[in-house]
Amino acid sequence: MHNIFDKLKVDCLIVSKDTDIYYHTNFNGSFGILLCFKDRKILITDPRYKHFKTKKAEVLVTTDLKKDIKEILIKEKIQSVGFQNQELQYSSYWNLKKIFKNCKFRQDNGSISKLRVVKSKQEIQKLTAAQRLNEQTLHKSLPLLRQGITEKEFKNIIKINALTLGAEGFSFEPIVAFGKNSANIHHSATDYKLKDSDVVLIDMGVTLNGYQSDMSRTFLPKTANEDLKNDYLKVLASFKAGIKDSKNQVPIIQLDKIAREQLHPDNFNHALGHGIGLDVHEKPFISKKSKEKLQTNMVITIEPGIYRKNKYGIRIEDVVVVGLKNGKSISNFPSNISQVIWG
């Protein structure tokens, strides 16, 4: 974090994003502001959390935020502060300006959140546990995938099973798409009833211990024709190539190109993937616009797809740990074509 102080030329950093506060303090309450100095951190919260303790920061319980921050500014001789401009709402920015009166404000363009990009061993363990729960949820739900069930009904089955198995919540609303609806990348579940000839696309993620999971699987009908099977195999090849080449110092733009080449001349109109951790979508973003390189122990998703309008969509997605020589999926759910036939 010291290099951020030097880069912005500030005396203090204001951390306002919930997941960044949690990362630095283990605090996940509904109100908290983290003030970071070069030699210490102060978490400011309200009396609801008076019993919260952490070794990572000093905890100040306040009933007069403006007064207490003013005292800190005077004591620490703060003249300039960095703030998370990408995370802060306009109204919150002006509230902070009033509280940090007479301080110069300098924008932090994502540097604070970027500290979370490379994951620790403990974080990878937590992400793996969240993914295992995600997989358990889908395994438990699949026996109820049958003709006549609606997308909404199956989505609710997934949610009930996830909570029953111990999920804290959901990384996002599960995507359940049958038949031609699967060609819609971000489809919202409807009352459409599953037919025996339909493709089934499921994209889901659960939260466990504050960490997220994300997985997509496409299930083919027993009556799948050769075009559908060939499309599935092309996406699977892209998916496997993306995982294999998720390795240290590979330019993200190159990884994106490698995965897309497997689908030529078809393409998918979305990024190849994204970082995942305390947020389901976080840096790095795996797309052809990226100028970054992968680093060992980044955790990302790989999710190529093919979408045939008014026919079907196919997407396969795993969570992947970037390695020295190749990436490693932390998912155990099968993806080979013989293992994704429903009905």
Side-chain angles (χ1 to χ4, degrees), residues 224-243:
N225 60 34
E226 289 305 308
D227 287 342
L228 176 54
K229 290 179 182 177
N230 287 336
D231 276 349
Y232 186 91
L233 291 173
K234 287 172 70 174
V235 175
L236 185 63
S238 175
F239 168 74
K240 289 183 175 180
I243 293 173

Side-chain angles (χ1 to χ4, degrees), residues 117-134:
V117 163
V118 175
K119 303 299 189 286
S120 68
K121 180 180 178 181
Q122 291 73 25
E123 286 184 289
I124 292 172
Q125 289 173 343
K126 289 181 179 180
L127 284 162
T128 302
Q131 184 58 29
R132 291 291 171 274
L133 181 55
N134 205 28

